[in-house]
Amino acid sequence: ETWDMPLAYAASNFHSENAAEFATCVKDKTGGAMEIVTHPSGSLFAGNDIKRAIQTGQAPIGERLISAHQNENPIFGIDSIPFLATSFGAHEQLWEVAGPKVAEILAQQNLVYLYSVPWPPQGLYFKKPVESVADMKGIKFRSYSTATARMAELTGMLPVQVEAAELSQALATGVAESFISSGATGYDRKVWEHLTHFYEVDAWLPRNIVFANKDAWDGLSVETQSAMRDCAATAKANGLQRSKDYTQFTLDGLKAGGMTVGPAGANLVAELKAIGETMTAEWLESAGDEGRAVVDAYKAKN
Amino acid sequence: MEQLIPIALFLFVLFLLLGSGVWVGLALLGVAYVGMELFTSRPTGDAMITVIWRSASSWTLTALPLFIWMGEILYRTRLSEDMFRGLSPWMARLPGGLVHTNIVGCTVFAAVSGSSAATLTTVGKMSIPELRKRQYPERMVIGTLAGAATLGLMIPPSLTLIVYGVTINESITKLFFAGILPGLVLALMFMTYVAIYSRVSSSWNPSPEPRMSFWEKVQNSRFLIPVMLLIIVVIGSMYLGFATATEAAAFGVIGALVLAAGQGSLNWGTFTESLMGAVRTSAMIALILAGAAFLSLSMGFTGLPRGLADLIASFELTRFELLMVLLVFYIILGCFLDGISSVVLTMAVVEPMIREAGIDLIWFGIFIVVVVEMAQITPPIGFNLFVLQGMTEHQMGFIARAAIPMFLIMVLMVFVLIAFPDLATWLPENIRSRPS
Amino acid sequence: MGSLRRGLDALYTAGGVVAAFFTITILAIIVLQMLARWTGSTFPGAADYAGYCMAGASFFAFAYALNHGAHIRVSLLLSKMGRWRYWGELWCFAVGTAASTFLARYAIKVTVESHRFKDVSQGQDATPLWIPQSIMAIGAVLLAICFWDHLIRLIFTGNHGIREDLVDQSHAE
Ligand code: NA
Ligand code: NA
């Protein structure tokens, strides 16, 4: 059997490379009985469409940035609550609690959760040194979601709405002077052409999830299913390591490009944590009891 | 060669549907349907509507109807004539005469529009009737327009370059700057061809333009002021960072309306005519885009484009040979696919090949744009051919033949790029030092 | 029959007028978004709304454009078919009718499913997707009606009634 696997990101992206490795693993473990063909760069379905396409069987398996679907269910956005879990380690702990809950909701949507890999942590890009929230006042901050717009509001920055495709142009022309993303984004887009400082505030670590269509999954033999589960476990671990390695690689890249890269000062961290508390509380209001249970369980572990 | 069967099948159904006169967008839809039904067990209709909805509701597309509308407004006012009155005295004495207004007009509008079809519509609407009135050879009018309009893809802003940049993670600003010089060189090459042809051809007998003194020419240039103002507003807004391409298009529409009102040619009639005209033209293009989106998905499922690219990778070629193979490959692919689809579908395999061969990816972006530009004018699927067919009474065959010299000039442009790579890389490498 | 004919033509034109309103709305949204940015406020979901209007501007105009002969086709062979042209046209309209009906069927299906799944947009607009998708569905149904209309006319009168309006096309009106 051959399964087409739509991926949203370029073939050279570590998530795509990890998925390709997962596909090879499945092929080897099943002795060629199951072949997964990856389609990177949104060449089959665009990122926005992948989840729905898998749900309805238009493709049997695929990968999606899960927080993109938080309008559908706030739980899908649990990985992107600002300053809730601010390191790879903390984030894995959060996911230990949240993962099963997300898998449960996905199961109700005809999806079988296979594995999940975090993106590098989100940091703040600026055009000048920033030591406190007060220094951010009035800076034009690129927002692309309700949460990022709210963050601008809470820090006194001016939110400017800029779509991903236009980020580089917005930075080049000064439409935006600051944004929040991983070191990878800045490295890929060579933002040192326009900005000077990157603060590793590790605001959140968005996750990609690989899931399969439930009907297609149920049609597989038990052996194939268990081979795929094994490969998924490997892919989860390898993906996490790739993400960590890539984080270091891109931070070094930003430095080589001439940017000042480093953790935020203690003062700034404390102020941002406070903002994080506010935003977590706001998220909990929308997420209801289910969300509260997950966040409480996570906090209890720490 | 397990790929041969799908290739033959796609080609057969495509030629059958397109050749028999089925509307292009629906013909693409039909080919894609056959591909899906034969090569995948996936639900065809559901998959189709997913990608059609995505492509039809894309906000990046909104620049298209707006730029078309701007062209419609300009077409319906005296502005197009004015631009001709302003440009023609300067072009008239050049060998090749007013055909140069096609090329110069496209070059200028390319700096406002991200798409070739929009450039073609805007400039063509102005220039075709005027050039016909003056008895220029129809072939040259149509051919130069088809060719020069493709500059819309190379001179920034460019949708193709944005897609390419996002796909390979390259700086889009750099890619934009990389397109400027090659775009101007290509325009010059088109103009050189027109000049030479006009001297050699015996059938080149346009109505003579009245002679003018230099002062009269300068005076006539006042007719250019409204159009130049509009272009400055549109381009300026983008380059000064006030506006994105779509927003610049909105400036364009509003600016065109203001200018039309200023010269008294705006009334309820011209307003609704321009609007309804834009609606029909952009619907026509949108239907083709919808069909193309489904065809890309279908081809993606068959693995055909990537299979071909893999095959090329297996030959282990030198850098020049690789580029020649890619040139031929993209020309063939470009006969059947729109440029953005060919870029998205193949880059996954081509990018590693290019990196491996040590080819600069910014430079390769411009190479790809030239090849994608060719695809705009090669039958059976060539966007500029479709748009021109919509704008003139000509058959596709006539338009395609008229565009052949332009196609060959673009092939020559590829060799110019290979010989002088600095054309594409010098500007982007030197913007780094500009103050931020 | 005359009133049915006029009614259908008016229906396609009405589709075109709605598409025109969507085009103006695109312009309005983009201008508002710019104003918002210059004044330091935001217009959440502007890009998404513009996208929905784009779909509306296209889909509502498909039938209108067909009825005006604005859609492009390669008519080289057709024009050389002489007395066989009727069969050529019949083939084209049959394929067109099948394709547009197929499109309409799935445009309706995706809309109904989006409603059932309670699918919402992933952008800041968080619009329930069935709302903008029903714009696509209505437009696709209009196109299918238009094709059936002309196919039936072609079968019974020998003429599909679309004049490839070349002046119209060359002006792309
Ligand atoms: Na352009
Ligand atoms: Na072509």
Side-chain angles (χ1 to χ4, degrees):
Chain A
E1 192 163 6
T2 304
W3 275 16
D4 290 295
M5 182 177 191
L7 306 170
Y9 306 96
S12 57
N13 182 280
F14 74 89
H15 285 286
S16 305
E17 285 177 349
N18 197 43
E21 220 167 73
F22 167 73
T24 312
C25 168
V26 170
K27 191 176 178 183
D28 292 347
K29 279 227 161 138
T30 58
M34 165 61 96
E35 192 177 346
I36 295 176
V37 181
T38 59
H39 298 263
S41 301
S43 64
L44 206 53
F45 291 102
N48 282 354
D49 297 321
I50 288 176
K51 179 163 168 287
R52 171 81 178 259
I54 313 294
Q55 261 177 285
T56 52
Q58 295 166 42
I61 185 169
E63 178 191 61
R64 179 61 179 148
L65 177 75
I66 195 63
S67 55
H69 292 274
Q70 55 186 315
N71 285 345
E72 211 177 288
N73 190 324
I75 293 281
F76 289 149
I78 195 158
D79 58 0
S80 332
I81 303 172
F83 309 106
L84 176 62
T86 57
S87 68
F88 275 107
H91 198 74
E92 285 307 301
Q93 284 183 356
L94 173 64
W95 197 248
E96 269 170 41
V97 187
K101 187 73 215 161
V102 169
E104 193 187 313
I105 294 165
L106 291 175
Q108 289 162 13
Q109 299 182 336
N110 203 33
L111 292 167
V112 176
Y113 170 90
L114 285 171
Y115 69 86
S116 165
V117 173
W119 284 90
Q122 307 282 299
L124 285 163
Y125 289 87
F126 290 108
K127 238 176 166 163
K128 60 170 193 183
V130 167
E131 260 127 48
S132 68
V133 167
D135 289 347
M136 299 182 193
K137 193 165 173 55
I139 291 179
K140 286 182 262 176
F141 177 75
R142 177 239 176 177
S143 76
Y144 59 92
S145 63
T146 319
T148 47
R150 178 75 180 132
M151 205 157 115
E153 203 179 320
L154 289 170
T155 51
M157 292 191 280
L158 297 174
V160 280
Q161 215 176 316
V162 177
E163 306 303 319
E166 277 165 357
L167 179 59
S168 298
Q169 198 188 348
L171 295 172
T173 55
V175 166
E177 305 163 314
S178 168
F179 68 103
I180 185 160
S181 192
S182 65
T185 309
Y187 175 76
D188 289 342
R189 294 177 185 256
K190 304 180 169 43
V191 295
W192 52 83
E193 289 170 11
H194 316 296
L195 303 178
T196 53
H197 288 74
F198 178 74
Y199 291 100
E200 302 167 51
V201 295
D202 295 0
W204 69 88
L205 293 82
R207 299 186 79 94
N208 277 4
I209 290 188
V210 170
F211 39 57
N213 176 278
K214 187 160 185 309
D215 306 320
W217 176 262
D218 289 344
L220 298 176
S221 68
V222 179
E223 297 80 59
T224 309
Q225 285 183 351
S226 98
M228 283 179 72
R229 287 277 184 214
D230 290 348
C231 291
T234 315
K236 177 187 189 297
N238 288 349
L240 178 62
Q241 191 52 48
R242 277 174 193 269
S243 191
K244 287 176 182 169
D245 295 345
Y246 192 57
T247 304
Q248 197 50 53
F249 172 78
T250 56
L251 293 183
D252 292 344
L254 289 180
K255 273 181 214 155
M259 289 189 82
T260 310
V261 177
N267 178 29
L268 181 58
V269 168
E271 285 178 321
L272 291 175
K273 277 271 179 206
I275 287 170
E277 292 291 330
T278 312
M279 292 191 70
T280 306
E282 286 170 1
W283 181 84
L284 284 173
E285 268 173 43
S286 71
D289 293 342
E290 265 183 345
R292 184 168 301 278
V294 174
V295 171
D296 287 349
Y298 164 70
K299 284 192 168 159
K301 286 179 103 177
N302 288 272
Chain B
M1 275 308 294
E2 55 177 324
Q3 301 285 6
L4 271 181
I5 298 161
I7 292 176
L9 191 99
F10 268 120
L11 291 186
F12 173 74
V13 181
L14 190 66
F15 281 122
L16 175 73
L17 291 179
L18 278 180
S20 64
V22 174
W23 296 265
V24 173
L26 299 176
L28 298 188
L29 207 124
V31 181
Y33 174 85
V34 172
M36 289 288 289
E37 285 297 315
L38 288 181
F39 296 104
T40 77
S41 52
R42 297 295 137 206
T44 306
D46 297 311
M48 169 191 76
I49 210 71
T50 302
V51 290
I52 286 185
W53 168 248
R54 180 62 49 211
S55 86
S57 63
S58 137
W59 71 277
T60 46
L61 216 58
T62 53
L64 189 71
L66 295 185
F67 278 125
I68 293 174
W69 190 9
M70 173 181 167
E72 289 279 346
I73 297 164
L74 294 179
Y75 179 81
R76 259 158 251 279
T77 61
R78 248 181 26 239
L79 285 169
S80 60
E81 291 165 43
D82 284 356
M83 183 168 162
F84 247 83
R85 262 196 279 176
L87 272 181
S88 59
W90 302 101
M91 303 291 158
R93 297 292 153 233
L94 296 177
L98 297 192
V99 172
H100 291 297
T101 51
N102 257 351
I103 299 164
V104 174
C106 283
T107 309
V108 173
F109 264 96
V112 193
S113 154
S115 103
S116 172
T119 306
L120 177 56
T121 325
T122 314
V123 176
K125 248 173 227 298
M126 284 196 210
S127 70
I128 291 175
E130 298 293 334
L131 291 177
R132 278 184 177 162
K133 214 188 286 173
R134 291 166 169 82
Q135 318 277 312
Y136 277 92
E138 185 73 4
R139 249 175 123 79
M140 285 303 278
V141 175
I142 302 296
T144 52
L145 195 54
T150 63
L151 290 170
L153 301 181
M154 186 184 277
I155 294 174
S158 157
L159 294 183
T160 314
L161 282 176
I162 293 173
V163 169
Y164 175 80
V166 169
T167 311
I168 65 155
N169 284 328
E170 265 300 341
S171 154
I172 289 161
T173 319
K174 274 195 172 185
L175 283 166
F176 274 3
F177 276 90
I180 294 176
L181 287 180
L184 294 176
V185 168
L186 187 53
L188 270 179
M189 284 162 70
F190 288 145
M191 290 175 77
T192 310
Y193 166 74
V194 170
I196 294 171
Y197 181 93
S198 71
R199 282 288 181 265
V200 176
S201 165
S202 56
S203 62
W204 189 281
N205 292 309
S207 327
E209 297 290 317
R211 278 210 168 267
M212 272 186 198
S213 71
F214 181 79
W215 177 238
E216 281 175 314
K217 285 184 192 174
V218 172
Q219 273 212 317
N220 250 26
S221 297
R222 73 177 185 278
F223 293 113
L224 283 177
I225 292 173
V227 177
M228 291 319 280
L229 266 181
L230 187 57
I231 290 167
I232 288 168
V233 166
V234 173
I235 301 184
S237 67
M238 228 173 343
Y239 286 97
L240 294 177
F242 290 123
T244 63
T246 309
E247 292 165 353
F251 276 129
V253 172
I254 294 168
L257 284 172
V258 168
L259 288 177
Q263 57 159 233
S265 50
L266 182 70
N267 53 44
W268 180 245
T270 52
F271 176 80
T272 52
E273 276 169 31
S274 69
L275 180 56
M276 296 313 282
V279 162
R280 282 198 292 274
T281 305
S282 69
M284 180 260 277
I285 295 174
L287 187 63
I288 298 174
L289 282 176
F294 184 30
L295 184 60
S296 304
L297 176 78
S298 177
M299 302 242 320
F301 269 118
T302 63
L304 187 71
R306 290 168 67 189
L308 282 175
D310 274 334
L311 185 71
I312 292 175
S314 70
F315 295 151
E316 297 185 359
L317 306 162
T318 68
R319 201 184 289 190
F320 183 74
E321 284 166 349
L322 176 67
L323 288 172
M324 288 304 105
V325 172
L326 285 174
L327 176 63
V328 174
F329 168 68
Y330 277 110
I331 287 175
I332 294 172
L333 200 63
C335 287
F336 307 102
L337 266 185
D338 66 280
I340 286 175
S341 302
S342 3
V343 171
V344 170
L345 277 168
T346 56
M347 212 33 74
V349 177
V350 172
E351 185 193 342
M353 266 156 55
I354 294 302
R355 284 190 194 276
E356 192 96 353
I359 295 170
D360 183 86
L361 278 152
I362 297 280
W363 179 89
F364 190 71
I366 303 309
F367 171 90
I368 280 275
V369 166
V370 183
V371 193
V372 161
E373 283 191 14
M374 295 178 199
Q376 295 281 331
I377 54 172
T378 53
I381 313 252
F383 242 89
N384 287 6
L385 302 181
F386 296 150
V387 175
L388 266 173
Q389 202 195 10
M391 290 171 66
T392 68
E393 71 270 31
H394 294 297
Q395 289 293 343
M396 187 96 135
F398 175 88
I399 302 167
R401 276 195 307 276
I404 288 174
M406 303 298 133
F407 174 84
L408 295 177
I409 290 170
M410 289 180 210
V411 174
L412 183 61
M413 181 68 207
V414 169
F415 291 95
V416 171
L417 266 180
I418 292 173
F420 307 101
D422 284 352
L423 271 182
T425 52
W426 186 81
L427 254 185
E429 272 163 20
N430 285 281
I431 53 168
R432 195 183 289 232
S433 54
R434 95 201 135 113
S436 55
Chain C
M1 279 312 277
S3 61
L4 179 64
R5 174 80 270 118
R6 280 195 301 277
L8 283 171
D9 284 342
L11 182 66
Y12 310 141
T13 305
V17 171
V18 174
F21 275 108
F22 276 119
T23 307
I24 294 173
T25 312
I26 292 173
L27 181 64
I29 289 172
I30 289 164
V31 169
L32 283 177
Q33 189 189 22
M34 265 188 292
L35 291 177
R37 196 174 60 221
W38 294 338
T39 57
S41 53
T42 55
F43 178 178
D48 303 274
Y49 295 124
Y52 305 147
C53 291
M54 183 66 215
S58 308
F59 270 82
F60 266 92
F62 282 161
Y64 170 65
L66 180 70
N67 206 34
H68 276 72
H71 284 300
I72 296 296
R73 55 176 173 161
V74 186
S75 45
L76 183 68
L77 197 63
L78 271 180
S79 61
K80 297 219 160 108
M81 283 175 95
R83 63 198 179 91
W84 298 103
R85 174 151 190 162
Y86 172 79
W87 297 100
E89 292 284 8
L90 196 60
W91 154 260
C92 289
F93 275 89
V95 172
T97 306
S100 58
T101 307
F102 186 74
L103 185 67
R105 181 187 179 285
Y106 283 95
I108 294 171
K109 187 182 173 200
V110 80
T111 308
V112 171
E113 277 183 354
S114 291
H115 187 256
R116 211 181 55 222
F117 289 172
K118 296 191 171 53
D119 228 345
V120 285
S121 148
Q122 293 158 39
Q124 274 179 270
D125 59 315
T127 311
L129 273 183
W130 68 269
I131 298 172
Q133 282 176 345
S134 53
I135 294 169
M136 166 172 74
I138 296 169
V141 168
L142 264 181
L143 180 65
I145 292 174
C146 192
F147 261 109
W148 280 105
D149 174 16
H150 291 293
L151 177 68
I152 292 168
R153 236 196 292 182
L154 181 62
I155 291 170
F156 287 103
T157 70
N159 187 346
H160 52 66
I162 294 177
R163 203 175 55 252
E164 301 261 322
D165 196 337
L166 297 174
V167 180
D168 185 54
Q169 284 190 2
S170 79
H171 290 215
E173 282 191 17

